[in-house]
Amino acid sequence: MPLRRTFALLCLGLLFSGGIHLFARNRWWQYEREMQDPIDDPPDALTPAEFAFGRLRYRSPRDGFRRARWGTDANKGERLFIIAIRRLSRINAQSIEEIVDVGSDDLYNWPFMYAVAAGDWSLSPTEAERLGKFFERGGFLVVDDVHNENEWGNFMAGIQQAMPGASDEEIPDNDPIFHLTYDISDRVQISGYNVVYGSPYERGGFQPHWRAVRDKQGRIVAAGWHNQDLGDAWEYADAPEYPEDLSNRAFRFGVNYITYAMTH
């Protein structure tokens, strides 16, 4: 009898704990298999704030069953960056990201979007049209982890679908985006984790660029950290082997770009 009672209590305990787990799932659990580095939500995950970091979800011919290109560095990279936003600025930031599909009208609800590895994206005509309207309505997109000229060209092909006739430029040193919150006058290549193994560049992207696409009024609507990997610098900010200086620089760039998106 005591054995049966013990077994019954164990079963009840398992059911109870399973129920707790069911109701404590992470906000974006349905996308976790597509992410590179998913982590659990913080306790204040559902607390609203004035700013939300948007992560753009898109399709790519390089998507796999267990991982998608849009999910590179997700979501640990942005979670650590959001902590930095709260500490390094006065931006009232939501503690978790908003994952927004480029095929959803929800895109219009979140004016700041971050996309990783968009050199491998593939936009349908309706997705490109929606992205174009996003820019027209004041949206801002920054892309990261795009290396070499082929990847940049593929990214720009998508932008030109959204904004016919669009062209890119190297952002000049005196542009406000480099001086809004932090004065970033000296710029170095912000490498991915591969720098730990002695290589500051990836996939043949030797020279770092800070590029932008502007609308007809001169506002930057899409920006690119080309031949760089700020997502890695955020993601590995807590890794002793990754250069601390690169993480600090990456945090400052991110804060400046967000400030630009919120004020222009």
Side-chain angles (χ1 to χ4, degrees):
M1 190 67 176
L3 183 60
R4 283 188 175 181
R5 188 177 296 117
T6 301
F7 180 75
L9 288 171
L10 283 171
C11 288
L12 284 172
L14 287 171
L15 286 171
F16 182 69
S17 64
I20 292 176
H21 178 73
L22 177 65
F23 291 104
R25 284 194 295 196
N26 292 324
R27 168 89 183 278
W28 303 112
W29 64 270
Q30 71 270 36
Y31 298 134
E32 287 183 354
R33 72 171 181 81
E34 299 179 7
M35 299 179 187
Q36 179 181 0
D37 196 2
I39 61 175
D40 287 337
D41 290 351
D44 62 344
L46 301 181
T47 302
E50 294 177 352
F51 171 79
F53 183 97
R55 162 75 81 139
L56 190 68
R57 182 173 181 261
Y58 61 83
R59 257 60 60 196
S60 168
R62 294 187 61 191
D63 288 343
F65 175 74
R66 293 298 305 172
R67 178 142 153 229
R69 289 298 284 159
W70 74 266
T72 302
D73 302 329
N75 53 3
K76 183 186 174 188
E78 50 260 53
R79 296 286 175 89
L80 293 186
F81 175 51
I82 290 167
I83 292 172
I85 295 172
R86 291 173 154 188
R87 292 180 179 176
L88 299 176
S89 75
R90 302 177 72 177
I91 298 171
N92 177 19
Q94 183 176 290
S95 65
I96 65 169
E97 70 288 346
E98 291 290 334
I99 296 177
V100 183
D101 196 287
V102 70
S104 168
D105 285 343
D106 197 33
L107 184 65
Y108 305 135
N109 296 327
W110 310 104
F112 178 89
M113 283 290 127
Y114 171 72
V116 182
D120 293 321
W121 70 355
S122 178
L123 301 179
S124 71
T126 55
E127 290 170 346
E129 181 182 6
R130 186 175 288 103
L131 186 61
K133 290 180 180 177
F134 168 76
F135 294 141
E136 290 174 2
R137 298 181 185 190
F140 179 93
L141 169 69
V142 59
V143 298
D144 185 28
D145 202 5
V146 177
H147 303 273
N148 67 61
E149 293 304 320
N150 287 337
E151 290 185 15
W152 182 259
N154 192 58
F155 163 67
M156 281 302 301
I159 291 296
Q160 287 160 355
Q161 280 182 266
M163 297 176 61
S167 61
D168 64 285
E169 65 175 53
E170 194 78 22
I171 304 176
D173 292 340
N174 63 350
D175 194 276
I177 204 166
F178 293 138
H179 308 284
L180 284 168
T181 303
Y182 292 98
D183 184 18
I184 308 176
S185 297
D186 62 319
R187 293 189 293 282
V188 301
Q189 185 174 39
I190 299 179
S191 307
Y193 190 78
N194 47 287
V195 73
V196 172
Y197 303 106
S199 175
Y201 52 84
E202 300 176 51
R203 303 194 293 278
F206 303 106
Q207 183 70 31
H209 296 281
W210 290 263
R211 288 178 164 169
V213 176
R214 299 181 188 268
D215 64 14
K216 293 178 180 178
Q217 288 71 46
R219 180 180 70 93
I220 296 175
V221 295
W225 295 316
H226 183 208
N227 294 334
Q228 304 185 76
D229 194 343
L230 279 73
D232 267 14
W234 300 340
E235 182 182 8
Y236 296 105
D238 59 353
E241 68 276 15
Y242 186 83
E244 181 181 1
D245 177 63
L246 294 185
S247 290
N248 289 338
R249 288 174 181 269
F251 286 145
R252 293 186 183 114
F253 270 115
V255 169
N256 269 26
Y257 278 52
I258 288 172
T259 305
Y260 182 93
M262 295 175 71
T263 58
H264 287 72

